[in-house]
Amino acid sequence: MKCDKKDLLLYAVTDRHWLNGETLYNQVEKALKGGATFIQLREKDLNEESFLEEAVQIKELCRKYQVPFVINDHVGIAISADADGVHVGQDDMKAGDVRAKLGPDKIIGVSAHTVEEALIAEQQGADYLGVGAAFPTGSKDDVNVIDHEMIRAISRAVKIPVIAIGGINKDNVQELRGHGLCGVAVISAVFAQPDIEASTRELKELTGQMVEV
């Protein structure tokens, strides 16, 4: 599966902080029913066996909804689970090395914070870029908010699709209008909401309005 720009409109990144007795599988299905167009499984604390088991289950769920499914950081899990690809940060494996392991047909996303990082990722075979943090965020402790002019500069510098990530929600997504983005990646704006399906649907509609300009 290759990465289509329209698949990146509403990119949901999992987080088990808000399960409240539910399974991650159920929460992801609610997001898919609400119209999430891309799912990234992000696990920092699961052991490898549990991570792989979960990855296989959620991959099958995403296939049912015909939505791309990638793993955060863990190339080995992505290969074992036959995920659609991997998303890596600047401190993880380089995009070129990931491509060598995954082959030509998998999706590789890379986090970028500067034009230089974006251009290197594109040259090394990244399919899309996640740029941020666009706004202050509580989901990751070590993230700095980047100037929105930098988001625009990165979007202009590369030919591959660019999405914004970090602190994005229904109240501020319109502020990203005109930045050259094809979508947004969100965590708490979907998975921390009391009605995940309805929240996903609303955010997808607002994001669609944002990218049309």
Side-chain angles (χ1 to χ4, degrees), residues 65-81:
Y65 284 86
Q66 298 183 303
V67 165
F69 169 69
V70 300
I71 304 286
N72 178 267
D73 291 354
H74 206 307
V75 177
I77 293 283
I79 293 169
S80 298

Side-chain angles (χ1 to χ4, degrees), residues 135 166-174 186 188-189 193 203 206-207:
F135 301 99
I168 299 164
N169 56 48
K170 64 183 175 64
D171 299 320
N172 61 23
V173 68
Q174 295 291 337
V186 295
S188 60
Q193 304 310 307
L203 186 57
L206 291 166
T207 305

Side-chain angles (χ1 to χ4, degrees), residues 22 93 116 122 147 197 200:
E22 267 194 291
M93 195 184 290
E116 183 185 20
E122 182 178 40
D147 189 88
E197 187 177 338
T200 305

Side-chain angles (χ1 to χ4, degrees), residues 43-54:
E43 290 290 0
K44 298 297 183 184
D45 303 316
L46 278 191
N47 65 51
E48 199 152 320
E49 187 181 351
S50 301
F51 191 173
L52 178 57
E53 188 180 331
E54 184 177 74

Side-chain angles (χ1 to χ4, degrees), residues 90 95 110 112 116-127 129 160:
Q90 287 295 317
V110 177
E116 183 185 20
E117 288 178 357
L119 288 170
I120 290 170
E122 182 178 40
Q123 287 159 9
Q124 291 185 343
D127 293 296
L129 300 173
I160 55 176

